[in-house]
């Protein structure tokens, strides 16, 4: 089954983002072997060259390493994975705040909404 990819943003960027999420969420744990470029390209429904470009970017970011004998694997540097997780989370928060501001919410109102939603979500105070 193909991945859902937008046509308004570069495909390789979307693949990088998806693989980053899979890594930081533990779907691909530290040191785990990643599927081949060809296998992931088939799964995503993209050209293998596009998938290769995404892997190259993940290597540049330090999340993936390549070994001739074992292929590509997730870095074992848990600090790098945690740093990436924090960066992704911060980006989500910034995007959320920006969208809420566009709706006319002030910072205090946004915080209040978040607190209320968290209470409803967890059922706690």
């Amino acid at each position: 089954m193909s991945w859902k990819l937008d046509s308004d943003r570069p495909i390789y960027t979307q693949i990088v983002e998806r693989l980053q999420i899979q890594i930081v969420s533990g779907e691909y744990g530290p040191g785990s072997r990643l599927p081949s470029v060809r296998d992931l390209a088939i799964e995503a429904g993209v050209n293998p060259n596009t998938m290769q470009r995404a892997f190259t970017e993940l290597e540049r970011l330090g999340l993936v390493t390549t070994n001739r004998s074992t292929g590509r694997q997730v870095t074992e540097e848990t600090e790098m994975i945690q740093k990436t997780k924090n960066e992704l989370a911060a980006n989500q928060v910034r995007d959320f705040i920006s969208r809420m501001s566009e709706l006319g919410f002030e910072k205090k109102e946004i915080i209040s909404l978040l607190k209320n939603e968290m209470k409803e979500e967890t059922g706690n105070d």
Side-chain angles (χ1 to χ4, degrees), residues 99-112:
R99 288 192 313 273
M100 295 303 287
S101 295
E102 288 174 7
L103 291 173
F105 286 94
E106 299 292 327
K107 288 182 182 182
K108 288 182 181 181
E109 292 174 304
I110 295 170
I111 292 169
S112 178

Side-chain angles (χ1 to χ4, degrees), residues 23-24 28-31 62-63 74-86:
I23 291 168
V24 302
Y28 294 123
L63 286 176
V74 175
T75 183
E76 292 185 6
E77 293 182 36
T78 56
E79 299 84 19
M80 175 58 71
I81 295 170
Q82 186 61 47
K83 177 184 175 213
T84 301
K85 186 176 187 174
N86 292 341

Side-chain angles (χ1 to χ4, degrees), residues 3-21 54:
W3 298 356
K4 290 186 179 184
L5 301 168
D6 301 329
S7 60
D8 61 337
R9 295 186 317 131
I11 300 297
Y12 88 95
T13 302
Q14 295 174 66
I15 293 170
V16 168
E17 291 168 357
R18 180 177 174 135
L19 291 171
Q20 283 177 314
I21 291 169

